[in-house]
Amino acid sequence: MNLLKDYGFRDLLNKYIYIENREVLPILSNYFETPEEATGLLAYCYLEHEKGMSLEVLCCSSFNETAKSIKFYKTNDEARIGLPYTAMLDSSVLILPDNILPLEKFLAKVNPLLTLTNISEGVEKSRKIVAMDHLRKPDNPDAVLVQLVHGDDHIEGHYVLLEDVGEINLTGTLLSEPEFAFGIHQGESLTFFLVRNEKGVMCLAML
């Protein structure tokens, strides 16, 4: 098994994932069947445009490394438990094939999540730009680090929530308030460019 942090967001989105983590089981026992032999949990990974990556707990699970088999315990359709994506980064995981028959019993919990993941065509295009991957926010790949530049005097890095991809530029929403008087504020639309220079690939907004 690989660690969750070893996978890119495209590998994980809308996937069933077994997460080996016994430390969270005492908390989950308040909502799910948690036998002593449980070794982790089954979760569904999804991405909300503004909120970022989430791991929806479906049930507790046991994984047998020798037999390469996994057992799912009872779910709870009344409980919605989401684990922070960044809290699980150092856990070992298995990405499960979508066509495993036992997974069908979790559709009642998974289907409502799909309505939270609807995105515009522009955002969909932005997720395909691999060159920006190292600039994406760890818990939300729809947000990228953009350098706000004012002449040769001032530069600040801020995360921008991607909204659209143009022929030569990108557009997004500024997620934090700049310290310098750039003339743009948190929550406003920002146009920026993906450039390559001696420092590598960067997102720049000339203000």
Side-chain angles (χ1 to χ4, degrees):
M1 288 191 289
N2 294 322
L3 300 181
L4 182 65
K5 64 184 179 184
D6 293 333
Y7 290 101
F9 73 95
R10 299 179 193 86
D11 301 317
L12 301 170
L13 283 190
N14 305 320
K15 294 292 185 180
Y16 293 93
I17 302 172
Y18 165 72
I19 302 174
E20 190 161 274
N21 190 312
R22 292 177 173 84
E23 295 180 2
V24 300
L25 294 179
I27 300 173
L28 298 181
S29 65
N30 295 319
Y31 307 94
F32 299 95
E33 179 186 12
T34 315
E36 290 185 3
E37 61 269 24
T39 56
L41 58 112
L42 177 70
Y44 186 79
C45 183
Y46 66 101
L47 171 57
E48 290 185 76
H49 180 52
E50 295 184 358
K51 295 182 179 180
M53 302 275 281
S54 296
L55 297 165
E56 181 77 11
V57 180
L58 302 177
C59 70
C60 295
S61 303
S62 294
F63 178 67
N64 186 313
E65 178 69 34
T66 303
K68 302 297 181 185
S69 63
I70 186 168
K71 182 176 181 180
F72 306 128
Y73 300 105
K74 287 183 180 179
T75 188
N76 180 353
D77 289 337
E78 304 301 319
R80 273 213 61 189
I81 307 297
L83 295 177
Y85 170 77
T86 51
M88 296 291 108
L89 288 176
D90 289 319
S91 297
S92 297
V93 301
L94 284 175
I95 302 175
L96 305 181
D98 298 332
N99 58 358
I100 294 180
L101 203 57
L103 295 179
E104 292 183 356
K105 64 183 178 182
F106 302 114
L107 290 178
K109 294 180 71 69
V110 169
N111 285 338
L113 301 177
L114 301 181
T115 63
L116 303 176
T117 62
N118 292 329
I119 54 174
S120 67
E121 183 180 348
V123 174
E124 186 174 0
K125 287 181 179 178
S126 72
R127 291 182 182 177
K128 297 177 181 178
I129 304 178
V130 178
M132 290 195 299
D133 282 1
H134 65 292
L135 302 171
R136 297 180 189 272
K137 201 167 183 283
D139 60 347
N140 187 357
D142 283 349
V144 295
L145 185 64
V146 177
Q147 303 299 325
L148 311 185
V149 180
H150 183 269
D152 297 326
D153 301 324
H154 200 86
I155 183 168
E156 285 183 28
H158 291 269
Y159 280 107
V160 172
L161 187 66
L162 292 159
E163 302 294 353
D164 202 3
V165 178
E167 291 186 8
I168 61 171
N169 58 20
L170 300 99
T171 305
T173 303
L174 189 62
L175 294 178
S176 54
E177 184 68 23
E179 296 181 9
F180 186 77
F182 286 107
I184 188 169
H185 302 280
Q186 180 180 358
E188 294 183 349
S189 181
L190 174 72
T191 296
F192 59 97
F193 301 87
L194 188 64
V195 301
R196 183 184 298 274
N197 55 27
E198 65 278 2
K199 296 182 180 180
V201 175
M202 304 173 64
C203 289
L204 294 181
M206 310 303 293
L207 302 169

